[in-house]
Amino acid sequence: MRFSIFHNLGAPGRLGEYADVMAEAREFAVTADRAGFWSTWYTEHHFGHEAIEITPNPVLMGADIAARTTDIRIGQAASIATFWHPLRLAEDIAMLDQLSGGRVEVGLGRGLYGREALNLNALADPRDQEQNRALYDETVEVLRKAWSGEFFSHQGRFYDFPAPGVKWNHPLSPATPEYTEAGVITKMQVTPFPLQRPHPPLWQVIDSPRSIKAAAADGVQGLFWLPPVSALGERFELYRDTASQAAGREYALGEGIGLVRDVYVADTMEQARAEFEEALMTTYRWIMHWRGLGNLMEAGEELTDAHELSFDFLQRRNLLVGTPEYVSEKIAELRDEVGLEHLLLWTTHPGLPHRNAMRSLELFAEKVMPQFTTGGGHG
């Protein structure tokens, strides 16, 4: 199995200490790199004065971490593609891949919060899901063209590249048929292109059957978070079946999928809960306000008014919180039940003291990870 870090920077009451929060994130990533974790992933959120989600640019964050590490791969979970100008995102990720020595994993999402979308790109308004999906799909199409290293053009619903009618006449750049017609630019090339060819691996945050099928059919790897193991089965099977048909080869169950789980390791079950519960519940109360509890239902279970969000409710469904032995058992269950190959640990919930997050990371690396890896975590 591969083990990675999911890091959503959050520090309620500490916005004025952002430099200290960044220093803690760096120490966490450097320690994970030395311990053999495969990758580390950073989120994108905007205008978070509550300081629950305070990483507006995962690509820039990744550049900082790449400069301080040697082996760990650098991902975004996710860059919200609908908020970015596609050419700017293509350039920035290509730059990150070059700067990191080809360590980038490209994670993309469509966006959830209206206050972010409507102030960055009104076309991404999540209240119009069909338009949001169309904008996402076209952005990914442009990214792939831009990363090809070839001259390209694009005419779509939202974007036309290159802009029509731009004349070109420069003695150091002859107006050749490769990219011009009658002295007018008709194709363009984005530079640099990524170090990894044809481009870094693509991932998408997915959950609904529609998103799962679309990603799998397009050769995009999937990132999941919330569902219990019983409800993951049909999702993993749908991804496997769709990807197998699209690729013309048989995918293994769990292949091409990463699963985020809330992970905290301590010497006793009681200590793990006492240290982790408050920070964990801050995240869930924040996110479930928009998402609701539907994605936390077991297979065949119906959401009712009797369901209430609590630590006990979550612990039975999707948490990996407890002793090394308990966490190891839960990981083994995920491996055996749904073929899980790639686990992303989310420990750094908002408000968790840094020393506690570091101790959990160390315990996981020393007492849990070796049971599932051979020869280290990098690959």
Side-chain angles (χ1 to χ4, degrees):
M1 289 184 69
R2 291 180 294 177
F3 294 96
S4 296
I5 300 300
F6 175 87
H7 203 142
N8 181 10
L9 270 70
R14 298 182 64 197
L15 270 182
E17 305 169 18
Y18 200 84
D20 295 333
V21 176
M22 286 292 299
E24 294 169 1
R26 291 174 181 133
E27 183 182 12
F28 202 83
V30 168
T31 300
D33 182 41
R34 292 172 179 167
F37 281 82
W38 185 72
S39 60
T40 183
W41 304 69
Y42 298 96
T43 60
E44 177 180 346
H45 285 290
H46 301 271
F47 321 125
H49 65 269
E50 306 87 358
I52 293 174
E53 297 166 317
I54 50 175
T55 316
N57 190 324
V59 179
L60 190 58
M61 181 76 189
D64 182 271
I65 298 302
R68 301 167 191 274
T69 55
T70 56
D71 296 306
I72 200 166
R73 296 184 64 79
I74 309 295
Q76 308 90 47
S79 286
I80 306 305
T82 57
F83 296 173
W84 288 71
H85 188 286
L87 298 182
R88 174 67 78 184
L89 183 57
E91 290 175 338
D92 285 3
I93 288 178
M95 278 288 292
L96 178 58
D97 201 44
Q98 292 285 347
L99 291 169
S100 67
R103 285 191 276 149
V104 169
E105 301 286 319
V106 180
L108 302 172
R110 296 192 295 115
L112 174 65
Y113 303 151
R115 76 172 178 185
E116 297 182 344
L118 292 170
N119 287 290
L120 291 168
N121 183 1
L123 294 173
D125 187 344
R127 293 172 298 184
D128 187 341
Q129 281 290 297
E130 290 306 311
Q131 178 169 287
N132 180 284
R133 287 179 184 274
L135 177 62
Y136 174 86
D137 291 343
E138 186 170 337
T139 299
V140 175
E141 181 183 352
V142 174
L143 291 176
R144 283 177 155 147
K145 290 179 177 179
W147 288 330
S148 70
E150 306 294 332
F151 286 99
F152 74 94
S153 63
H154 174 84
Q155 288 77 44
R157 172 179 170 184
F158 303 100
Y159 299 107
D160 288 318
F161 302 124
V166 178
K167 294 182 179 180
W168 188 251
N169 179 21
H170 196 291
L172 296 183
S173 177
T176 66
E178 224 177 1
Y179 68 102
T180 63
E181 290 181 12
V184 175
I185 297 174
T186 55
K187 291 187 177 181
M188 62 191 303
Q189 185 182 60
V190 168
T191 58
F193 43 81
L195 184 61
Q196 298 178 85
R197 308 302 300 141
H199 55 72
L202 293 178
W203 300 75
Q204 183 182 351
V205 178
I206 55 178
D207 183 75
S208 69
R210 179 175 175 180
S211 293
I212 293 169
K213 292 177 69 174
D218 201 27
V220 176
Q221 298 172 96
L223 291 171
F224 293 86
W225 171 33
L226 290 170
V229 62
S230 68
L232 285 174
E234 62 183 16
R235 290 169 167 85
F236 278 42
E237 289 168 1
L238 178 60
Y239 184 93
R240 176 199 61 193
D241 295 346
T242 307
S244 297
Q245 183 176 6
R249 68 169 181 85
E250 192 64 30
Y251 267 59
L253 187 65
E255 182 181 351
I257 292 174
L259 176 66
V260 177
R261 278 295 193 245
D262 310 293
V263 178
Y264 192 81
V265 186
D267 293 325
T268 68
M269 297 294 291
E270 294 76 17
Q271 179 188 359
R273 176 170 183 167
E275 293 177 352
F276 196 52
E277 181 173 3
E278 182 178 356
L280 175 80
M281 294 309 297
T282 294
T283 290
Y284 273 85
R285 292 188 185 106
W286 176 258
I287 294 177
M288 292 305 115
H289 174 80
W290 286 281
R291 290 183 179 269
L293 300 181
N295 284 358
L296 289 162
M297 296 298 102
E298 300 282 358
E301 182 182 17
E302 295 293 331
L303 177 63
T304 70
D305 292 339
H307 289 101
E308 293 185 1
L309 180 64
S310 68
F311 183 89
D312 291 324
F313 171 85
L314 295 171
Q315 179 75 326
R316 296 191 299 270
R317 294 165 186 268
N318 70 351
L319 301 185
L320 305 183
V321 178
T323 62
E325 295 76 19
Y326 176 83
V327 171
S328 297
E329 290 174 4
K330 301 302 286 186
I331 294 173
E333 179 186 22
L334 287 164
R335 179 197 60 196
D336 297 342
E337 293 294 325
V338 296
L340 184 66
E341 297 181 354
H342 186 191
L343 178 68
L344 290 77
L345 285 65
W346 187 0
T347 298
T348 50
H349 284 271
L352 181 70
H354 178 61
R355 65 181 182 278
N356 291 358
M358 290 297 296
R359 179 57 180 156
S360 174
L361 179 67
E362 292 162 2
L363 281 171
F364 188 94
E366 294 170 4
K367 297 189 176 183
V368 178
M369 195 159 69
Q371 300 183 49
F372 301 93
T373 60
T374 56
H378 295 303

